[in-house]
Amino acid sequence: MANILKAEFFNRDVLELAPDLIGKILVRKFDDGRKLRLKITETEAYRGEEDKACHAFKGKTQRTEVMYMEAGTIYVYLIYGMYYMLNFVASKEDIPQAVLIRAAGDYNGPGKLTKALKIDKNFNKQNIITCPNLWIEDDLKEAKYKTSTRIGIDYAGEFWANKQWRWILEE
DNA sequence: TCTCCGATTCACT
DNA sequence: GTGAATCGGAGAA
């Protein structure tokens, strides 16, 4: 029997949350009632105003205010005008941290994942705990993972681009 | 109000 | 290996 993750799970530092999400089950319920269950296989951490790769590093704006909201808030944004990225807000209010879901199930790529799950900006600012169409379950199995560097953030400079803040599930 | 560019993907050389 | 597609946020290049 799977447990649906509670708010407390998200209410801690993103560097603890991101690896813990590896191996968890992301469940999407579509409008027609179908369910899609995907094991999370890759995450990345974006940590606050000090992290130049994090959208919130310059402070609170219309775009980044989502990351200042409570733990478990869903942060969805459009990138390159074509793809939505799916994130979950970590830590407590007023601390902008988020975990990017880069891959789950057979979908290796954040753009492909959101396309398969039909995630769009309507999910932005909803909460993963209370959202009726999207939630995360614990499959009670221990997940093995490895770490790597984050992707697509060279603009943030070597210091941040070289951080081992990406987690990948190992078979 | 206008311009620049990105937490990507896919097609093509 | 390179570059186009495509749009809204953020800063004024």
Side-chain angles (χ1 to χ4, degrees):
Chain A
M1 184 58 187
N3 300 322
I4 296 176
L5 298 185
K6 305 293 195 302
E8 295 79 41
F9 182 84
F10 296 89
N11 192 5
R12 52 194 168 133
D13 196 278
V14 70
L15 295 181
E16 290 183 32
L17 175 61
D20 250 19
L21 280 172
I22 294 290
K24 298 289 186 289
I25 309 297
L26 179 67
V27 186
R28 166 72 161 114
K29 185 178 175 185
F30 296 103
D31 292 339
D32 63 6
R34 286 188 305 118
K35 283 185 191 174
L36 194 56
R37 300 169 55 84
L38 299 172
K39 179 176 289 191
I40 296 173
T41 57
E42 194 173 334
T43 63
E44 275 183 19
Y46 288 88
R47 191 168 188 268
E49 295 176 353
E50 61 171 19
D51 180 1
K52 286 185 70 176
C54 180
H55 291 157
F57 87 96
K58 281 180 180 170
K60 200 176 203 172
T61 67
Q62 198 170 60
R63 180 193 205 184
T64 63
E65 64 176 0
V66 185
M67 283 193 271
Y68 291 80
M69 293 170 70
E70 61 185 340
T73 303
I74 302 169
Y75 172 37
V76 176
Y77 69 93
L78 186 66
I79 191 63
Y80 300 119
M82 308 181 77
Y83 299 102
Y84 290 103
M85 303 283 107
L86 174 62
N87 306 254
F88 300 123
V89 175
S91 195
K92 54 188 177 183
E93 277 184 70
D94 296 325
I95 299 181
Q97 300 188 350
V99 179
L100 167 67
I101 307 301
R102 290 196 62 86
D106 297 324
Y107 305 101
N108 42 333
K112 289 189 258 185
L113 177 67
T114 51
K115 189 179 171 190
L117 294 178
K118 294 185 168 57
I119 300 288
D120 59 32
K121 60 186 178 184
N122 291 324
F123 281 90
N124 198 37
K125 296 186 181 180
Q126 290 204 52
N127 194 294
I128 191 65
I129 309 301
T130 57
C131 181
N133 299 319
L134 188 70
W135 65 90
I136 297 178
E137 295 175 359
D138 190 346
D139 75 349
L140 304 178
K141 281 190 290 188
E142 197 173 327
K144 284 186 178 178
Y145 55 80
K146 58 185 177 184
T147 60
S148 186
T149 52
R150 292 182 289 180
I151 300 291
I153 54 159
D154 290 343
Y155 65 87
E158 273 190 35
F159 180 80
W160 294 106
N162 288 333
K163 289 253 178 231
Q164 300 279 306
W165 282 0
R166 183 158 60 106
W167 288 266
I168 306 166
L169 180 71
E170 283 202 316
E171 305 297 330

